[in-house]
């Protein structure tokens, strides 16, 4: 069944399954990123789990909904921001008189706290943000190839030409 | 155009000068390997190998991790502290991979639309 704007009606089972799993994947992925220094997991794993939400949105509701819900420009900028943040945190060591990636202020907080272990925590957050935005940007790119062409895209192209 | 060339030449010369200075400075530093253990002999006759600490580096990391990094998760400490360079390279591999696929896939999308027409 097909509606306007390229939105396709999926099977009710796929749709409800995606709807059920989407909040869990987002919340659990963010939890894994935030508690990377304390419990198993870390930036890479949690970022990919959050990025899977884009795929679930596509599976359940089609490319039109995913495109309207996710701003790809923000994702593209966010990936570069995360990479820059990681380099800046690594350079903290050089600014404070040690070598690159040295953990300078590692004695903040107690062992097992959320904010402890100095730059390790914040490096984990920056890598998580980078992977989250980068992988979901990649998934959106791949979805745009799979999706049928919508009318809006063609109009935009004509304007460009 | 000429000013750009001059700037490029000057900056390359500065980088070269600093590189030569770094090489000369590093050659005066003491050696990191003392030469007390002959590696070739150890490989030929392995009965002399020190097996008093069978865990090796893993044991050292597990026992000294808390006082060195204060991170409860040893893997996070290794990935973001001891091997920070490695993680930097990994995340930049992802960045380049996504940039490359962005270029290729956006071109493929254009070609696909032309084929459809």
């Amino acid at each position: 069944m097909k509606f306007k704007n390229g939105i396709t009606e999926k099977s009710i089972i796929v749709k409800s399954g995606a709807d059920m799993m989407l909040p869990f994947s987002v919340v659990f992925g963010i939890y894994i990123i935030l508690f990377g220094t304390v419990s198993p997991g870390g930036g890479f794993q949690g970022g990919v789990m959050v990025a899977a939400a884009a795929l679930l949105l596509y599976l359940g509701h089609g490319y039109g909904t995913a495109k309207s819900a996710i701003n790809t420009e923000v994702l593209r900028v966010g990936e570069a921001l995360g990479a820059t943040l990681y380099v800046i945190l690594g350079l903290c060591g050089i600014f404070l008189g040690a070598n690159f990636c040295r953990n300078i202020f590692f004695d903040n907080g107690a062992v097992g706290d959320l904010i402890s272990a100095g730059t390790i925590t914040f490096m984990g957050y920056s890598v998580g943000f980078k992977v989250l935005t980068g992988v979901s940007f990649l998934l959106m790119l791949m979805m745009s190839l799979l999706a049928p062409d919508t009318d809006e895209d063609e109009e935009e192209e004509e304007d460009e030409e | 155009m000429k000013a750009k060339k001059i700037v490029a030449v000057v900056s390359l010369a500065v980088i070269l000068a600093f590189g030569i200075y770094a090489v000369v400075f590093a050659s005066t530093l003491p050696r990191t390997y003392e030469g007390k253990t002959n590696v070739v002999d150890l490989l030929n006759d392995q009965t002399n190998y020190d097996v008093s600490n069978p865990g090796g580096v893993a044991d050292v990391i597990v026992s000294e991790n808390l006082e060195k990094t204060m991170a409860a998760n040893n893997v996070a400490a290794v990935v973001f502290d001891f091997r920070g360079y490695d993680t930097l390279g990994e995340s930049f591999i992802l960045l380049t991979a996504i940039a490359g696929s962005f270029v290729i896939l956006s071109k493929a999308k254009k070609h696909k639309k032309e084929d459809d027409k």
Side-chain angles (χ1 to χ4, degrees):
Chain A
M1 204 170 153
K2 218 168 183 184
F3 292 126
K4 279 179 189 173
N5 307 324
I7 299 173
T8 321
E9 176 87 344
K10 304 272 176 176
S11 155
I12 186 72
I13 298 170
V14 177
K15 213 169 139 186
S16 349
D19 279 349
M20 199 185 75
M21 290 309 294
L22 200 137
F24 282 111
S25 107
V26 172
V27 171
F28 191 56
I30 289 172
Y31 163 77
I32 283 182
I33 293 175
L34 287 182
F35 285 81
T37 35
V38 185
S39 57
F44 285 103
Q45 296 87 346
V48 173
M49 278 190 84
V50 178
L55 204 59
L56 283 174
L57 207 59
Y58 169 73
L59 285 176
H61 300 274
Y63 177 64
T65 319
K67 197 187 171 191
S68 61
I70 298 168
N71 191 348
T72 45
E73 283 301 305
V74 171
L75 295 180
R76 210 173 64 184
V77 175
E79 192 193 4
L81 257 177
T84 317
L85 207 67
Y86 186 90
V87 175
I88 287 170
L89 282 169
L91 284 175
C92 267
I94 289 181
F95 292 147
L96 294 176
N99 41 10
F100 187 71
C101 280
R102 173 64 71 86
N103 198 352
I104 290 291
F105 48 97
F106 64 86
D107 48 357
N108 64 336
V111 174
D113 276 359
L114 183 57
I115 305 293
S116 63
T119 52
I120 291 176
T121 314
F122 301 110
M123 276 177 166
Y125 294 171
S126 69
V127 166
F129 184 66
K130 204 195 99 62
V131 171
L132 186 162
T133 47
V135 174
S136 43
F137 180 65
L138 190 64
L139 287 174
M140 290 298 290
L141 269 178
M142 291 177 172
M143 283 173 211
S144 70
L145 271 185
L146 290 173
D149 295 335
T150 55
D151 296 330
E152 293 174 14
D153 281 352
E154 283 169 10
E155 279 173 15
E156 280 172 12
E157 275 210 346
E158 279 165 14
D159 290 341
E160 282 169 11
E161 283 163 8
Chain B
M1 205 58 206
K2 222 172 186 181
K4 264 187 186 175
K5 264 185 188 172
I6 290 168
V7 167
V9 167
V10 167
S11 51
L12 280 176
V14 168
I15 291 169
L16 187 69
F18 269 104
I20 290 170
Y21 171 73
V23 168
V24 170
F25 179 75
S27 65
T28 62
L29 292 175
R31 289 172 66 180
T32 49
Y33 177 61
E34 292 293 334
K36 281 173 187 165
T37 316
N38 195 338
V39 184
V40 179
D41 284 354
L42 196 65
L43 279 175
N44 288 333
D45 181 17
Q46 296 183 355
T47 52
N48 294 328
Y49 197 74
D50 182 17
V51 289
S52 58
N53 187 6
V57 171
D59 265 7
V60 174
I61 286 174
V62 168
S63 60
E64 298 183 9
N65 178 47
L66 272 186
E67 57 194 70
K68 288 213 163 141
T69 63
M70 300 266 287
N73 186 359
N74 286 344
V75 177
V78 170
V79 167
F80 294 115
D81 190 2
F82 299 117
R83 303 207 57 166
Y85 270 120
D86 191 52
T87 313
L88 182 78
E90 266 173 37
S91 54
F92 272 80
I93 282 172
L94 190 69
L95 189 75
T96 24
I98 288 168
S101 49
F102 175 57
V103 172
I104 291 170
L105 289 182
S106 53
K107 219 169 197 177
K109 202 176 165 188
K110 225 173 237 175
H111 279 294
K112 194 186 158 202
K113 270 180 186 168
E114 279 168 12
D115 289 348
D116 288 346
K117 279 171 190 172

Short mmCIF file of all heavy atoms in Angstrom, two decimals, chain B residues 30-56:
data_model
loop_
_atom_site.label_atom_id
_atom_site.label_comp_id
_atom_site.label_asym_id
_atom_site.label_seq_id
_atom_site.Cartn_x
_atom_site.Cartn_y
_atom_site.Cartn_z
N PRO B 30 69.32 8.87 25.25
CA PRO B 30 69.77 7.52 25.58
C PRO B 30 68.87 6.46 24.94
O PRO B 30 67.70 6.72 24.66
CB PRO B 30 69.66 7.47 27.11
CG PRO B 30 68.69 8.53 27.46
CD PRO B 30 68.88 9.61 26.44
N ARG B 31 69.43 5.28 24.71
CA ARG B 31 68.66 4.21 24.07
C ARG B 31 67.59 3.70 25.02
O ARG B 31 67.81 3.59 26.23
CB ARG B 31 69.59 3.06 23.69
CG ARG B 31 70.49 3.40 22.55
CD ARG B 31 71.51 2.31 22.34
NE ARG B 31 70.86 1.07 21.91
CZ ARG B 31 71.53 -0.04 21.65
NH1 ARG B 31 72.85 -0.06 21.79
NH2 ARG B 31 70.92 -1.11 21.27
N THR B 32 66.42 3.34 24.46
CA THR B 32 65.35 2.79 25.30
C THR B 32 65.62 1.32 25.60
O THR B 32 65.22 0.82 26.64
CB THR B 32 64.00 2.92 24.60
OG1 THR B 32 64.14 2.44 23.28
CG2 THR B 32 63.54 4.36 24.57
N TYR B 33 66.31 0.62 24.69
CA TYR B 33 66.62 -0.80 24.92
C TYR B 33 68.06 -0.90 25.37
O TYR B 33 68.98 -0.45 24.71
CB TYR B 33 66.40 -1.59 23.61
CG TYR B 33 66.76 -3.04 23.72
CD1 TYR B 33 66.11 -3.86 24.64
CD2 TYR B 33 67.75 -3.58 22.93
CE1 TYR B 33 66.44 -5.19 24.74
CE2 TYR B 33 68.07 -4.91 23.03
CZ TYR B 33 67.42 -5.71 23.93
OH TYR B 33 67.74 -7.03 24.04
N GLU B 34 68.24 -1.49 26.57
CA GLU B 34 69.58 -1.47 27.18
C GLU B 34 70.53 -2.48 26.56
O GLU B 34 71.74 -2.35 26.70
CB GLU B 34 69.44 -1.76 28.70
CG GLU B 34 68.74 -0.65 29.46
CD GLU B 34 69.56 0.63 29.50
OE1 GLU B 34 70.79 0.55 29.40
OE2 GLU B 34 68.96 1.70 29.60
N GLY B 35 69.99 -3.52 25.92
CA GLY B 35 70.87 -4.51 25.33
C GLY B 35 71.32 -5.57 26.31
O GLY B 35 72.25 -6.32 26.04
N LYS B 36 70.65 -5.67 27.48
CA LYS B 36 71.05 -6.68 28.47
C LYS B 36 70.61 -8.08 28.03
O LYS B 36 71.27 -9.06 28.31
CB LYS B 36 70.45 -6.35 29.83
CG LYS B 36 71.23 -5.25 30.55
CD LYS B 36 70.52 -4.82 31.80
CE LYS B 36 71.22 -3.60 32.41
NZ LYS B 36 70.40 -2.94 33.41
N THR B 37 69.43 -8.15 27.36
CA THR B 37 68.93 -9.44 26.91
C THR B 37 69.22 -9.59 25.42
O THR B 37 68.88 -8.71 24.64
CB THR B 37 67.41 -9.53 27.12
OG1 THR B 37 67.12 -9.01 28.41
CG2 THR B 37 66.93 -10.94 27.01
N ASN B 38 69.87 -10.69 25.04
CA ASN B 38 70.10 -10.96 23.63
C ASN B 38 68.89 -11.72 23.08
O ASN B 38 68.64 -12.86 23.45
CB ASN B 38 71.38 -11.78 23.45
CG ASN B 38 71.83 -11.74 22.01
OD1 ASN B 38 71.03 -11.47 21.10
ND2 ASN B 38 73.11 -12.00 21.78
N VAL B 39 68.12 -11.06 22.21
CA VAL B 39 66.84 -11.63 21.77
C VAL B 39 67.07 -12.88 20.92
O VAL B 39 66.33 -13.85 21.02
CB VAL B 39 66.05 -10.56 20.98
CG1 VAL B 39 64.70 -11.10 20.60
CG2 VAL B 39 65.89 -9.32 21.82
N VAL B 40 68.12 -12.87 20.08
CA VAL B 40 68.36 -14.01 19.19
C VAL B 40 68.69 -15.25 20.01
O VAL B 40 68.17 -16.35 19.76
CB VAL B 40 69.50 -13.67 18.21
CG1 VAL B 40 69.76 -14.85 17.30
CG2 VAL B 40 69.14 -12.45 17.40
N ASP B 41 69.54 -15.08 21.05
CA ASP B 41 69.88 -16.21 21.90
C ASP B 41 68.65 -16.74 22.63
O ASP B 41 68.47 -17.95 22.77
CB ASP B 41 70.93 -15.79 22.94
CG ASP B 41 72.31 -15.68 22.31
OD1 ASP B 41 72.42 -16.05 21.11
OD2 ASP B 41 73.23 -15.21 23.00
N LEU B 42 67.80 -15.82 23.07
CA LEU B 42 66.60 -16.22 23.81
C LEU B 42 65.67 -17.03 22.91
O LEU B 42 65.06 -18.01 23.36
CB LEU B 42 65.88 -14.97 24.31
CG LEU B 42 64.84 -15.19 25.39
CD1 LEU B 42 65.51 -15.71 26.65
CD2 LEU B 42 64.12 -13.90 25.69
N LEU B 43 65.59 -16.64 21.63
CA LEU B 43 64.72 -17.38 20.71
C LEU B 43 65.29 -18.76 20.42
O LEU B 43 64.56 -19.74 20.29
CB LEU B 43 64.55 -16.59 19.41
CG LEU B 43 63.52 -15.47 19.46
CD1 LEU B 43 63.53 -14.70 18.15
CD2 LEU B 43 62.13 -16.03 19.70
N ASN B 44 66.63 -18.86 20.32
CA ASN B 44 67.24 -20.16 20.02
C ASN B 44 67.14 -21.11 21.21
O ASN B 44 66.88 -22.30 21.05
CB ASN B 44 68.71 -19.96 19.63
CG ASN B 44 68.84 -19.33 18.26
OD1 ASN B 44 67.95 -19.49 17.42
ND2 ASN B 44 69.91 -18.59 18.04
N ASP B 45 67.36 -20.60 22.43
CA ASP B 45 67.34 -21.43 23.63
C ASP B 45 66.30 -20.86 24.58
O ASP B 45 66.59 -19.91 25.31
CB ASP B 45 68.73 -21.45 24.27
CG ASP B 45 68.76 -22.33 25.49
OD1 ASP B 45 67.83 -23.15 25.63
OD2 ASP B 45 69.70 -22.19 26.30
N GLN B 46 65.10 -21.41 24.56
CA GLN B 46 64.00 -20.80 25.31
C GLN B 46 63.93 -21.28 26.76
O GLN B 46 63.00 -20.93 27.48
CB GLN B 46 62.68 -21.09 24.60
CG GLN B 46 62.63 -20.43 23.24
CD GLN B 46 61.32 -20.63 22.54
OE1 GLN B 46 60.46 -21.35 23.03
NE2 GLN B 46 61.17 -20.01 21.39
N THR B 47 64.90 -22.09 27.20
CA THR B 47 64.87 -22.54 28.59
C THR B 47 65.19 -21.40 29.54
O THR B 47 64.83 -21.44 30.71
CB THR B 47 65.88 -23.68 28.80
OG1 THR B 47 67.15 -23.26 28.29
CG2 THR B 47 65.42 -24.94 28.10
N ASN B 48 65.88 -20.34 29.03
CA ASN B 48 66.22 -19.20 29.89
C ASN B 48 65.08 -18.21 30.03
O ASN B 48 65.23 -17.19 30.69
CB ASN B 48 67.45 -18.49 29.33
CG ASN B 48 68.67 -19.35 29.40
OD1 ASN B 48 68.80 -20.17 30.31
ND2 ASN B 48 69.56 -19.21 28.43
N TYR B 49 63.96 -18.45 29.33
CA TYR B 49 62.88 -17.48 29.31
C TYR B 49 62.25 -17.32 30.69
O TYR B 49 62.01 -18.31 31.38
CB TYR B 49 61.82 -17.93 28.30
CG TYR B 49 60.86 -16.84 27.90
CD1 TYR B 49 61.26 -15.82 27.05
CD2 TYR B 49 59.56 -16.82 28.38
CE1 TYR B 49 60.40 -14.82 26.69
CE2 TYR B 49 58.69 -15.81 28.03
CZ TYR B 49 59.11 -14.82 27.18
OH TYR B 49 58.26 -13.83 26.83
N ASP B 50 62.00 -16.09 31.09
CA ASP B 50 61.46 -15.81 32.42
C ASP B 50 59.96 -16.13 32.44
O ASP B 50 59.17 -15.45 31.78
CB ASP B 50 61.70 -14.34 32.76
CG ASP B 50 61.20 -14.00 34.14
OD1 ASP B 50 60.98 -14.96 34.92
OD2 ASP B 50 61.04 -12.80 34.43
N VAL B 51 59.56 -17.19 33.18
CA VAL B 51 58.16 -17.60 33.23
C VAL B 51 57.58 -17.38 34.63
O VAL B 51 56.57 -17.99 35.00
CB VAL B 51 57.97 -19.07 32.81
CG1 VAL B 51 58.21 -19.22 31.33
CG2 VAL B 51 58.89 -19.98 33.59
N SER B 52 58.22 -16.54 35.43
CA SER B 52 57.73 -16.34 36.80
C SER B 52 56.39 -15.60 36.80
O SER B 52 55.62 -15.72 37.75
CB SER B 52 58.75 -15.56 37.61
OG SER B 52 59.01 -14.33 36.99
N ASN B 53 56.10 -14.83 35.73
CA ASN B 53 54.84 -14.09 35.66
C ASN B 53 54.11 -14.49 34.38
O ASN B 53 54.25 -13.83 33.35
CB ASN B 53 55.13 -12.57 35.68
CG ASN B 53 53.87 -11.77 35.78
OD1 ASN B 53 52.78 -12.33 35.93
ND2 ASN B 53 54.00 -10.47 35.66
N PRO B 54 53.36 -15.60 34.41
CA PRO B 54 52.80 -16.12 33.16
C PRO B 54 51.75 -15.21 32.54
O PRO B 54 51.50 -15.26 31.35
CB PRO B 54 52.19 -17.46 33.58
CG PRO B 54 51.95 -17.33 35.03
CD PRO B 54 53.01 -16.44 35.56
N GLY B 55 51.10 -14.35 33.35
CA GLY B 55 50.08 -13.46 32.79
C GLY B 55 50.65 -12.39 31.89
O GLY B 55 49.96 -11.89 31.00
N GLY B 56 51.90 -12.00 32.14
CA GLY B 56 52.53 -10.99 31.31
C GLY B 56 51.91 -9.63 31.45
O GLY B 56 51.56 -9.19 32.56
#
